[in-house]
Amino acid sequence: MSGNLLFQLLLNGLIVGTLYGVVAMCFVLIYKSTQVVNFAQGEFLLIGAWTCWWLVVDAGLPFWFSFPLTFLFMMVFGIALQMVVLRPLIGEPIISVIMVTIGLSIFFQAITKWIFGADVQPFPEIFPVKSVDVFGLSVQPAYLMSLVVSILVMGGFAWFFKYSRMGLAMRATAFNQQVAQSLGISVKNVFAMAWAISAMVSALAGVVVGMVNGVSGALSFFGIKVFPAVIVGGLDSIIGAIVGGLIIGLLENFAEYVDGQWLHLGNLYTVAPFYVLIIILMIKPYGLFGTHKIERV
Amino acid sequence: MITSSLIPCGQFKTSYAKDTTIFDTPVMRAWAVVGVLALIAAPMILNNYYLSLLIQIGFMGIAALGLNILVGYTGQISLGHAGFFGFGAFASAWLNNSFGVPVVLAMPLAAVMTTFLGLLFGIPAGRLKGLYLAIATFASQFILEDFFARADWFSGGSSGAAANPVNLFGYDLSGDKGFFYVVLFWVVVMFLIGTNLLRSRDGRAFIAVRDHYLSAEVMGINLTKYRILSFGLSSFYAGLGGALYGHYLGFVSAEGFTILMSIEFLGMIIIGGLGSVAGTLMGTTFMVLLPEVMEGGVGIAKTLVGGNVGWLAEGLASIKQASIGLAIILFLIFEPDGLVHRWRLIRSYWKFYPFSY
């Protein structure tokens, strides 16, 4: 029984971990190409999920139509955000940039709470079956979908950065902005694109989580959980973000198992990643895959 | 962090002593004294509502000054200030409840306890800077929040802790009028200590660490020492502010010290002006009054529209939070030097009106 529970929790961890990985990837994308630490990443999930929920429930559109519509909205939203708020702050000290994303974060949290209320709103059933059996364990179909979607997104990212013109331009910008600009890459567009892609993919994760747990302000906590993931993986490594997300997802569920079986401390589940974060920062601040050039004293 | 480079027109300094004085002119010093005297007289004129606002500005301002020493003067970013603020509140209540330490003594003792906690959490600051430090303190915020909810022996766990009112020589100072003087005393003391510290050798070392850490090290400043010291100092201020907060409310709850409060503290110093003691007070005043103004605004909107404005009233909490976020964003975009910069501009404009510059 206990072994089965552990297995179930680890499977959960794997699925949640891939979601963390996807959100962390979006975070790293913004950091790598624009040097902005986005504390409002969780709010992208929140806004995406609420938009999709509103389109499905209040506007009565079918899911397959409102899902792409959400994407379109998030793209415009990401670009607008970059142009209006982040662009004036290019070249400002790091605290200003951090604070402006924090300001955005609490602003959007408050606004969504105002518009949609503080209660959890369930997503209407999209899938006909309640749960699917995988190796004798019951898994919600939305979770399975999230796993498939996450893997697809990761594959898409790999293709995008390796072969597409825009992706190559983004990598060049991340490597060196001045050189990229002198090669004729519009750094402005790259910045806007980075925010747009990040917002869109985060919204995807938000919709998936919303389908499983219902949509509520709690979604923005994903944006906080992203920090342990990116620090473990390395702040400027996309692969690191995915691995870090998986590690944090597994660790969380493992911590819950240990807590439930032996320690009985309470919410070890939520704080364990932060202890790990501090330890990693102390011993290996560049993470598993990050470049070793970060400033240390 | 370009503040304090702007000197009002028509002022020339000919000695180092003049350069480090707290007040540029005797008139300014006189105004400061008049201001404190006016505050001493304030409880006789103001009603309890305004007094409670002033008290809030007082203890928040003490904590915000600590954060400004850390962020504005030393250039270390902390997203966990509310954690230390809360620790001070709990520590003071704990010392008083468990060991019978008189509240008057428990408050500074709690601040000292918070200092040690700050030194502990400041150890990463010795090794990390900028962004990484921000993330580390972000994590410490959640760890401390979790600690408050869990440590029953210290904070009373999820049920919270009761904090006794302040009592000095048998006089009960629990009401708004009495407590106002307690807060005023500490505000004056802590701001005097703060300003004097910042013009001492250590204060200049902080600024050197902020402006160029490599040059500072070359000049013989021990970076690790001063970074951790700054953390400890800011925690002392946070702890004292928290202790005042706890004994003012009479009850400390674990839910109060969230990341949102940390953000408010940062908002105060950014809106007021990073690296400015006077700006700290301005920013705190702004941040404390902002929700009240919003509440008043919603009230006015209600009477103007009349009747069916349920969506406005329901959203009041959200409006308050959104206005904080919006204020931070707008200030960073349009006035990154804060209110104190605006104030200097206004002052130098009127100085030789209408022929300034």
Side-chain angles (χ1 to χ4, degrees):
Chain A
M1 171 59 212
S2 156
N4 202 8
L5 176 69
L6 178 64
F7 195 56
Q8 173 88 51
L9 279 174
L10 288 183
L11 186 72
N12 259 353
L14 194 71
I15 292 166
V16 176
T18 45
L19 278 172
Y20 284 158
V22 168
V23 182
M25 212 161 66
C26 299
F27 177 90
V28 169
L29 176 68
I30 289 185
Y31 178 71
K32 220 169 139 74
S33 50
T34 69
Q35 253 79 69
V36 170
V37 184
N38 186 13
F39 277 82
Q41 198 72 44
E43 279 64 39
F44 283 165
L45 273 84
L46 189 64
I47 293 169
W50 276 126
T51 313
C52 194
W53 180 87
W54 184 82
L55 286 170
V56 171
V57 175
D58 279 9
L61 294 171
F63 180 72
W64 57 266
F65 185 64
S66 46
F67 201 46
L69 215 59
T70 308
F71 265 35
L72 196 69
F73 170 75
M74 288 310 284
M75 190 172 95
V76 176
F77 178 74
I79 293 174
L81 203 61
Q82 204 276 331
M83 278 170 58
V84 177
V85 182
L86 275 311
R87 201 166 282 175
L89 288 176
I90 292 176
E92 290 282 323
I94 193 162
I95 172 134
S96 307
V97 181
I98 287 178
M99 276 314 289
V100 93
T101 58
I102 290 177
L104 284 174
S105 155
I106 64 171
F107 177 70
F108 288 128
Q109 262 178 39
I111 291 292
T112 48
K113 199 192 252 172
W114 188 16
I115 299 175
F116 296 104
D119 303 327
V120 181
Q121 299 287 355
F123 236 93
E125 294 293 325
I126 310 285
F127 298 99
V129 279
K130 262 281 194 221
S131 68
V132 185
D133 274 6
V134 182
F135 306 123
L137 295 166
S138 62
V139 180
Q140 292 195 33
Y143 263 152
L144 267 190
M145 187 191 101
S146 87
L147 200 62
V148 173
V149 167
S150 305
I151 292 167
L152 279 180
V153 166
M154 287 169 190
F157 260 61
W159 175 83
F160 180 76
F161 283 111
K162 223 163 178 172
Y163 299 109
S164 81
R165 214 180 149 71
M166 194 67 208
L168 287 172
M170 284 174 95
R171 270 170 65 194
T173 315
F175 186 70
N176 190 324
Q177 281 177 21
Q178 283 189 347
V179 173
Q181 199 150 28
S182 68
L183 286 172
I185 293 167
S186 165
V187 174
K188 255 192 205 166
N189 284 355
V190 166
F191 279 18
M193 259 337 263
W195 279 83
I197 293 173
S198 183
M200 277 159 62
V201 178
S202 302
L204 176 85
V207 171
V208 169
V209 180
M211 272 194 242
V212 179
N213 299 336
V215 190
S216 74
L219 268 178
S220 58
F221 209 64
F222 261 73
I224 292 165
K225 279 293 167 61
V226 145
F227 286 98
V230 290
I231 290 294
V232 168
L235 205 49
D236 56 355
S237 160
I238 297 236
I239 296 169
I242 297 167
V243 176
L246 278 174
I247 290 175
I248 294 300
L250 288 172
L251 177 98
E252 258 186 6
N253 281 277
F254 187 66
E256 192 180 7
Y257 177 73
V258 170
D259 196 22
Q261 294 290 315
W262 298 295
L263 297 175
H264 305 294
L265 282 174
N267 51 344
L268 196 59
Y269 180 80
T270 39
V271 268
F274 294 109
Y275 283 106
V276 171
L277 193 162
I278 297 239
I279 293 165
I280 292 275
L281 276 177
M282 293 293 277
I283 56 175
K284 201 171 162 59
Y286 35 79
L288 294 174
F289 296 93
T291 33
H292 287 216
K293 61 164 187 189
I294 77 143
E295 299 163 279
R296 281 177 66 188
V297 190
Chain B
M1 298 174 196
I2 323 133
T3 48
S4 72
S5 61
L6 188 126
I7 300 157
C9 64
Q11 269 199 35
F12 309 100
K13 287 165 178 170
T14 47
S15 69
Y16 284 117
K18 265 189 189 164
D19 197 41
T20 54
T21 49
I22 297 174
F23 300 108
D24 287 336
T25 57
V27 180
M28 282 166 73
R29 191 182 305 124
W31 273 116
V33 172
V34 168
V36 171
L37 288 178
L39 281 174
I40 288 173
M44 291 153 206
I45 307 156
L46 298 176
N47 63 20
N48 279 357
Y49 171 69
Y50 290 106
L51 274 184
S52 77
L53 285 182
L54 281 176
I55 290 170
Q56 268 187 61
I57 292 170
F59 59 68
M60 292 299 226
I62 291 175
L65 179 63
L67 190 63
N68 212 344
I69 291 174
L70 182 66
V71 181
Y73 283 95
T74 322
Q76 310 283 305
I77 306 169
S78 170
L79 293 174
H81 208 59
F84 298 117
F85 188 79
F87 188 85
F90 280 122
S92 185
W94 178 64
L95 285 172
N96 182 240
N97 292 340
S98 304
F99 302 102
V101 181
V103 178
V104 188
L105 275 181
M107 287 195 293
L109 268 181
V112 172
M113 274 174 73
T114 318
T115 312
F116 284 109
L117 185 78
L119 291 174
L120 181 71
F121 275 95
I123 294 171
R127 288 166 58 86
L128 306 164
K129 63 191 283 285
L131 173 61
Y132 288 84
L133 182 61
I135 296 173
T137 51
F138 193 57
S140 78
Q141 164 78 34
F142 288 101
I143 290 173
L144 279 176
E145 248 180 78
D146 178 61
F147 172 73
F148 295 151
R150 195 190 293 262
D152 287 340
W153 55 273
F154 176 69
S155 64
S158 48
S159 53
N164 291 324
V166 184
N167 207 310
L168 188 64
F169 307 125
Y171 289 104
D172 182 30
L173 296 173
S174 58
D176 278 334
K177 282 197 164 90
F179 200 77
F180 177 79
Y181 287 108
V182 179
V183 171
L184 184 65
F185 168 76
W186 280 112
V187 167
V188 171
V189 168
M190 294 316 280
F191 272 74
L192 273 181
I193 292 177
T195 37
N196 278 308
L197 184 106
L198 289 168
R199 60 199 193 116
S200 69
R201 184 185 182 277
D202 291 332
R204 286 193 300 274
F206 287 154
I207 294 169
V209 171
R210 172 195 74 188
D211 285 347
H212 205 288
Y213 70 98
L214 273 180
S215 313
E217 199 166 22
V218 170
M219 305 258 292
I221 291 167
N222 185 342
L223 285 184
T224 311
K225 181 188 149 194
Y226 276 100
R227 285 201 168 119
I228 296 179
L229 191 70
S230 176
F231 246 92
L233 195 65
S234 98
S235 311
F236 183 86
Y237 276 84
L240 187 68
L244 286 166
Y245 163 88
H247 291 292
Y248 175 59
L249 290 191
F251 178 76
V252 194
S253 149
E255 274 97 54
F257 310 104
T258 55
I259 182 77
L260 187 65
M261 195 180 201
S262 286
I263 296 167
E264 276 181 38
F265 279 127
L266 276 168
M268 284 172 200
I269 61 170
I270 282 172
I271 288 170
L274 287 170
S276 159
V277 175
T280 308
L281 265 187
M282 292 183 197
T284 313
T285 312
F286 184 94
M287 213 46 144
V288 170
L289 294 186
L290 184 66
E292 307 295 324
V293 171
M294 285 296 144
E295 201 162 341
V298 168
I300 291 169
K302 257 189 215 161
T303 51
L304 281 183
V305 181
N308 195 16
V309 277
W311 60 275
L312 252 182
E314 276 170 30
L316 190 59
S318 303
I319 292 174
K320 283 179 184 172
Q321 194 188 335
S323 65
I324 292 170
L326 202 61
I328 293 174
I329 297 169
L330 292 179
F331 262 93
L332 280 170
I333 294 177
F334 295 110
E335 185 56 279
D337 289 339
L339 285 172
V340 72
H341 178 71
R342 220 12 65 164
W343 168 242
R344 286 194 189 119
L345 288 181
I346 293 169
R347 219 173 52 192
S348 53
Y349 176 76
W350 285 106
K351 196 154 196 183
F352 292 120
Y353 180 83
F355 302 113
S356 61
Y357 296 111

